[in-house]
Amino acid sequence: MDAQGRGQAGDDNVDPADQWVFDPNTGNYELRLDPTGQGPTRPADRKAPGRRSARNPGAGGGDTDTRPLPVQRGRLKDGAGEPAAGGRAARRAAERAGSAAAGGAAAAGGAAAGRRRPKPKKSGKRKFVYWTAGVVGFVLVAGCGTAFVIYQQLDGNIKKVDVGEENSAVTDGPVNLLVIGTDARTGKGDAGYGDSGSVGHADTTILMHVSKDRTNATALSIPRDLITDIPDCPTKQPDGSTKVIPGQQHVRFNTSLGQEGRDPGCTWRTVEKLTGVKVNHFMMADFNAVKDLSNAVDGVEVCAGKDIDDPKSHLKLTAGRHVVKGEQALAFVRTRHAVGTGSDLSRIQLQQQFVGSLIRKLKSSAFGSPSKLLDVAQAATKALTVDTGIGSASKLMDFGNDLKKVDLNKITFATVPVLDNPQDKATVILDEAKADPLFKMVQQDHTLSKDAGKDKGGKKSAPVKKAPPELVRVDVTNGGGPFGAAQETVDWLQNNKGARLSTNAGNAPEKLSATRLEYAPNQADQAATLAEWMGLPKSALKQTTADAGARVPMKLVLGKDFTAPGSPIEAPTETPEGVQHVNADDKNICAK
């Protein structure tokens, strides 16, 4: 028996995963049928290699079978569940896996399209995206070679909640994924953590925005102690009926889940109300996700900028780098009293460091063997609760494949800007001056990249000549903004900006989804001034073909995207100053 308690190489009880070895020359797993456990010697002449039969290992030459890895059904570390398949069953599983691969390379990783030896693949070229739910509650594996594992073994692990939204797994537009980590205690060894009397609160919440072109992603951490409003929330009951849970004003964000019977759909609606961002899907996990997943990847590297000794989280680390897993990993993402200001904001930074490091670990080494891949996938999906739109392994696979283009160095973590609550030092309130432009960046699909706002040549666009305030002449109409928006805007233009020639022209004849400014070529300088004041995007500027008369005003129509004068409609092209943000690929972050 080997260290895992599996049979000898020729035994019928051999684990199918042990019959497959990774060939660094081809980048593929190859079926090892030699009963001695040693890889067979390759023949010198590769033009006409002998082949071993799946049903007769002794037949043919010494070449290695390169069919896809057979599926293991329910193998568990403690021996529970179905026994591992072996012998003839393993060979039949291999044949079925090979047939599936011939039907589609996406499902089987393109491992056995023919009998020729696959060409070596360049290392580092495959792009996988691993989304982490809550702190690290799940991993969505977006890679062709893992399709058969997810489809055939992991579907039963996934739990789902009907939140009244049935969005498709794949969309042509941006994707906004709400990831929730709860403080629920559902397993052994969780004493001292979480709220044992409830289903768990929204202890850690991240709004993950993936850009329309799938080139970048922004992960916004929402502090659990943020004072906000929770809207009315319809929730599905066990008998199939729907109960509307009344909303609350000026309460902690984390009570959007668990309190009064609120489900993840309530947190979903709260985030939409807070940020103005339309959520597509949610993923949720509890404390066990951190422990199980960190164990599955053999630990996650973290960095402490100083010695940490937190008796409440039981975390003890000396200054420097460490590999943490299990209870120690959970303590790291839960600690706050011994780092930073001792607040939840300091803990958020630890969680962002941990998640970034976990993603790097998964991408670089977690899939060095089939059994390791299975351990990670099992731990991830068992920890996962999702909405019905991605409530199966096949839908999750489609979802992951849609997002797999995002590179690790294009994922940015940021924290929603907050201020101390003057009425309650244990809570925080939204810093609207910083949060509003940050939310607009997400709403309008702007990246937090430092290179934003530059053209392809790396240079910023040349400034346009602007007219002085006293020459800006404009008629303002309301075409979808709040009630009284036109008069409020005119008052603001005249009193705050000195644009005395602005006029309220009443309601527009039609409703517009987006604000629009019409101007003539000889009014371009006036338009530039007004666009800067209003924060108008280029898409809002509509130039006519003929010049306007001396006293003809421009026409500003306020659309549904208009909120208030002085609140820019266009999102900034750079991260607002003072907003905490880090890159997921940054290896130099240490807890202080």
Side-chain angles (χ1 to χ4, degrees):
M1 301 291 285
D2 65 8
Q4 299 296 326
R6 300 165 184 151
Q8 294 287 339
D11 198 299
D12 277 347
N13 292 323
V14 66
D15 192 322
D18 293 336
Q19 293 180 295
W20 290 80
V21 293
F22 183 77
D23 188 340
N25 295 320
T26 65
N28 287 332
Y29 290 98
E30 298 183 346
L31 183 60
R32 182 184 63 200
L33 297 176
D34 191 324
T36 65
Q38 303 296 323
T41 303
R42 296 181 179 274
D45 183 7
R46 299 295 302 176
K47 294 183 180 180
R51 308 300 299 176
R52 287 176 181 247
S53 167
R55 298 187 179 277
N56 185 5
D63 198 13
T64 304
D65 195 325
T66 59
R67 288 171 296 181
L69 175 65
V71 176
Q72 306 171 61
R73 298 191 59 80
R75 180 176 59 84
L76 301 177
K77 289 184 177 181
D78 59 4
E82 275 189 61
R88 182 176 303 173
R91 291 193 290 272
R92 287 199 297 267
E95 292 172 352
R96 288 194 297 271
S99 298
R115 289 296 185 178
R116 295 182 181 178
R117 178 188 178 192
K119 294 181 180 179
K121 300 185 185 298
K122 297 180 180 179
S123 61
K125 295 299 183 182
R126 292 184 179 179
K127 299 176 181 178
F128 299 91
V129 174
Y130 310 99
W131 300 125
T132 307
V135 180
V136 273
F138 74 94
V139 175
L140 181 61
V141 185
C144 299
T146 64
F148 68 96
V149 177
I150 292 181
Y151 275 95
Q152 298 188 29
Q153 286 200 262
L154 307 179
D155 194 74
N157 291 344
I158 303 169
K159 298 175 288 293
K160 55 190 174 184
V161 173
D162 183 356
V163 296
E165 298 280 352
E166 189 70 30
N167 297 324
S168 61
V170 179
T171 176
D172 292 333
V175 174
N176 296 302
L177 172 67
L178 184 64
V179 291
I180 307 169
T182 78
D183 56 1
R185 296 179 354 202
T186 58
K188 297 179 180 180
D190 290 329
Y193 294 112
D195 183 357
S196 60
S198 79
V199 297
H201 301 106
D203 191 62
T204 300
T205 305
I206 299 174
L207 177 60
M208 176 75 76
H209 170 79
V210 184
S211 65
K212 179 179 180 179
D213 61 8
R214 307 297 188 258
T215 61
N216 64 87
T218 298
L220 287 182
S221 294
I222 302 175
R224 67 172 192 175
D225 297 324
L226 173 66
I227 296 299
T228 189
D229 295 341
I230 301 175
D232 292 346
C233 178
T235 61
K236 291 284 187 179
Q237 303 300 302
D239 62 1
S241 64
T242 298
K243 175 183 177 181
V244 177
I245 301 175
Q248 289 181 284
Q249 288 71 47
H250 309 298
V251 293
R252 290 178 189 250
F253 174 85
N254 70 338
T255 60
S256 64
L257 178 69
Q259 294 291 93
E260 309 296 334
R262 294 188 178 104
D263 66 11
C266 300
T267 305
W268 178 317
R269 291 170 175 83
T270 303
V271 169
E272 289 187 335
K273 181 178 178 62
L274 173 68
T275 66
V277 176
K278 183 67 175 177
V279 175
N280 301 98
H281 301 287
F282 87 86
M283 294 182 176
M284 181 178 70
D286 62 23
F287 284 149
N288 288 328
V290 182
K291 297 188 296 184
D292 295 345
L293 197 53
S294 60
N295 282 330
V297 299
D298 293 330
V300 177
E301 184 180 73
V302 297
C303 180
K306 63 177 183 179
D307 292 348
I308 298 177
D309 187 357
D310 186 350
K312 292 194 174 182
S313 69
H314 311 295
L315 178 66
K316 289 186 178 182
L317 289 178
T318 57
R321 297 189 177 277
H322 303 268
V323 175
V324 297
K325 60 182 178 178
E327 290 288 349
Q328 192 178 33
L330 178 58
F332 184 83
V333 299
R334 292 290 301 155
T335 196
R336 62 185 177 95
H337 296 285
V339 295
T341 61
S343 68
D344 184 54
L345 300 179
S346 297
R347 176 165 57 187
I348 285 175
Q349 295 180 29
L350 291 181
Q351 293 168 351
Q352 291 174 349
Q353 180 199 151
F354 185 89
V355 172
S357 181
L358 174 64
I359 294 174
R360 291 194 299 272
K361 179 68 174 287
L362 287 166
K363 187 171 184 178
S364 64
S365 61
F367 304 109
S369 71
S371 59
K372 179 59 62 180
L373 169 60
L374 185 61
D375 288 344
V376 171
Q378 290 280 17
T381 53
K382 284 181 179 178
L384 193 61
T385 300
V386 300
D387 62 282
T388 53
I390 49 175
S392 69
S394 61
K395 290 179 180 179
L396 276 175
M397 196 66 194
D398 291 340
F399 186 60
N401 281 329
D402 180 40
L403 306 182
K404 70 180 180 181
K405 293 180 182 179
V406 182
D407 286 331
L408 180 60
N409 62 358
K410 297 298 183 181
I411 302 175
T412 304
F413 290 99
T415 303
V416 171
V418 294
L419 300 169
D420 289 336
N421 186 356
Q423 298 179 354
D424 180 6
K425 295 298 183 182
T427 61
V428 293
I429 58 176
L430 194 66
D431 185 347
E432 295 183 4
K434 297 175 182 177
D436 286 349
L438 179 63
F439 293 157
K440 277 188 168 61
M441 291 186 74
V442 178
Q443 293 165 13
Q444 298 182 26
D445 202 20
H446 287 200
T447 177
L448 298 187
S449 170
K450 295 180 180 179
D451 296 329
K454 297 181 180 180
D455 58 25
K456 293 182 179 180
K459 298 180 181 179
K460 291 187 176 181
S461 302
V464 179
K465 181 181 178 181
K466 298 180 178 66
E470 63 271 14
L471 295 182
V472 175
R473 186 186 297 270
V474 60
D475 281 351
V476 182
T477 58
N478 191 350
F483 179 79
Q487 185 58 51
E488 186 180 3
T489 300
V490 169
D491 291 342
W492 180 77
L493 289 172
Q494 293 184 356
N495 300 327
N496 293 63
K497 297 301 182 181
R500 302 298 181 185
L501 300 178
S502 55
T503 306
N504 178 4
N507 291 325
E510 60 177 339
K511 299 293 184 181
L512 299 179
S513 59
T515 298
R516 183 175 68 200
L517 175 62
E518 295 182 2
Y519 65 97
N522 61 334
Q523 296 172 325
D525 55 344
Q526 297 181 53
T529 300
L530 185 60
E532 182 180 61
W533 290 342
M534 300 288 294
L536 301 179
K538 291 182 180 179
S539 59
L541 306 181
K542 307 298 181 184
Q543 180 175 293
T544 61
T545 56
D547 285 346
R551 295 180 180 274
V552 175
M554 299 181 294
K555 296 179 180 180
L556 176 64
V557 184
L558 305 177
K560 293 180 180 180
D561 59 349
F562 177 82
T563 55
S567 178
I569 295 175
E570 181 183 31
T573 55
E574 295 183 2
T575 307
E577 185 176 355
V579 174
Q580 179 270 336
H581 64 290
V582 295
N583 191 278
D585 202 26
D586 191 347
K587 302 177 182 179
N588 300 315
I589 303 173
C590 289
K592 298 180 180 179

